[in-house]
Amino acid sequence: MSVRAAVVGLGWAGRELWLPRLTGHADFDVVAAVDPAPAARAAGDAAPDVPVHPTVDALTARAVDLAVVAVPNHLHTEVAARLLRRGISVFLEKPVCLSSAEADTLAAAERDGGATLLAGSAAPHRGDVAALVRLLPELGRIRHVDLSWVRARGIPQAGGWFTQRSKAGGGVLFDLGWHLLDTLASLLGPARFTQVVGATSNDFVGTGAWSAAWRQDGPAAGAAGDVEDTARGFLVRDDGVSVCLGAGWASHEARDVTRIQVAGSAATAELTCTFGFSPNRHPHPRLTLTREGTTTSLPVPDEPIGTEYRRQLDGLAAALADPGRRGRAVGEARTTVRVIEEFYASARRAHERTAVPAHH
């Protein structure tokens, strides 16, 4: 029996990612969509027979099994909690929440409504990441992980909600950084962080010249942006593994590149690829194993762009039917948002120190 799904939010992610993949997937029957903007409601061309409603109040647990929520970040918790309280399970795009307090709200809504919150996380479903995971037993004791996702030009919707802290929670750390932290958890398992040192900068976010033209959303009217476009941090997990984390919406690089290096006591593995949909990408994923001065290239799947999003849907119906999944997404999101909060606090302290004038 198909899962009756509704898509909530018909912006880029809802319209381009989820609506076409859900309508083309055998496990799902798209029965509704929701967006308050009339222009967005008119854009539901991927599923012209699906009724589009202005609010989630039109959705009921009798008619909808799962709501795929792809609204702007600041609405994630409000919309998801409202649906969960109505007994409708939710598949929520990252970031799941923007604060520890929002995680508490989601946990209470999930408990009160008896529904299940599932979290979207594309990168761990990539074939090249799975190949890296299979290589980990050869590395011995894992000591360090270096993760980075740096775009050449890729600020999303410059001047729009993505670059406004009040609506996005933050900048590239909440966007690309959340993907990297999810990937880290999929590699090594979930863990808390005992040390977090971070630095942020915003050299590119103020100009539309560095926007993500491939998103086809162009610069938006409004504020130039008050979030970071680059974040660099050093973290230590409670299992002793150290982590370097780097995320950039824009840089002076030629291509948008994602790199993951895992260093162990016996060998080091490195994956070079490009997460996401940018056409300005590393041409083919490359996976290497280095041991005692010798580097070997290993076979790695070269999949069509976006395969990881369809693959998330492959296991979604089973996850929805598993009562053990209830509470898990909120718990994982709580760990992720806590490290992001600590990262920003560290970066803020660094900015305050450098802003203080010297005393003579």
Side-chain angles (χ1 to χ4, degrees), residues 123-352:
H125 290 84
R126 291 176 59 95
D128 48 15
V129 172
L132 176 59
V133 171
R134 291 192 294 270
L135 196 56
L136 296 183
E138 297 189 38
L139 307 186
R141 178 78 182 269
I142 304 301
R143 297 298 187 184
H144 179 77
V145 182
D146 204 325
L147 306 101
S148 67
W149 181 0
V150 176
R151 291 174 175 165
R153 293 172 183 253
I155 296 172
Q157 200 179 27
W161 68 261
F162 255 111
T163 58
Q164 297 177 41
R165 189 170 302 280
S166 63
K167 294 183 178 179
V172 71
L173 189 58
F174 263 114
D175 185 22
L176 309 189
W178 191 291
H179 281 292
L180 293 173
L181 290 166
D182 275 350
T183 303
L184 179 67
S186 74
L187 291 172
L188 305 186
R192 295 191 176 188
F193 294 85
T194 58
Q195 297 178 54
V196 179
V197 178
T200 61
S201 56
N202 58 354
D203 297 321
F204 306 102
V205 77
T207 170
W210 300 89
S211 64
W214 52 269
R215 278 176 54 100
Q216 299 177 332
D217 51 16
D226 60 353
V227 299
E228 82 286 352
D229 53 52
T230 303
R232 302 176 180 94
F234 185 82
L235 328 171
V236 180
R237 290 166 37 113
D238 60 12
D239 58 5
V241 177
S242 59
V243 179
C244 278
L245 184 75
W249 272 339
S251 69
H252 295 288
E253 298 297 321
R255 285 198 178 104
D256 300 359
V257 177
T258 307
R259 286 191 179 89
I260 305 169
Q261 185 186 79
V262 185
S265 59
T268 296
E270 181 169 312
L271 172 65
T272 305
C273 60
T274 303
F275 285 0
F277 289 84
S278 168
N280 183 29
R281 56 199 305 114
H282 199 275
H284 302 284
R286 183 167 185 258
L287 180 63
T288 61
L289 180 71
T290 301
R291 181 186 283 120
E292 297 182 10
T294 300
T295 299
T296 307
S297 290
L298 300 169
V300 60
D302 195 355
E303 300 173 327
I305 295 174
T307 298
E308 62 270 32
Y309 287 86
R310 178 194 55 75
R311 196 170 280 137
Q312 284 184 87
L313 297 182
D314 291 344
L316 208 51
L320 194 60
D322 177 7
R325 293 298 292 261
R326 192 164 297 159
R328 190 188 303 179
V330 173
E332 292 171 352
R334 195 187 301 278
T335 298
T336 301
V337 81
R338 185 178 291 132
V339 73
I340 289 176
E341 288 172 333
E342 292 175 4
F343 192 114
Y344 279 138
S346 174
R348 195 159 48 245
R349 289 191 296 271
H351 283 307
E352 287 167 357

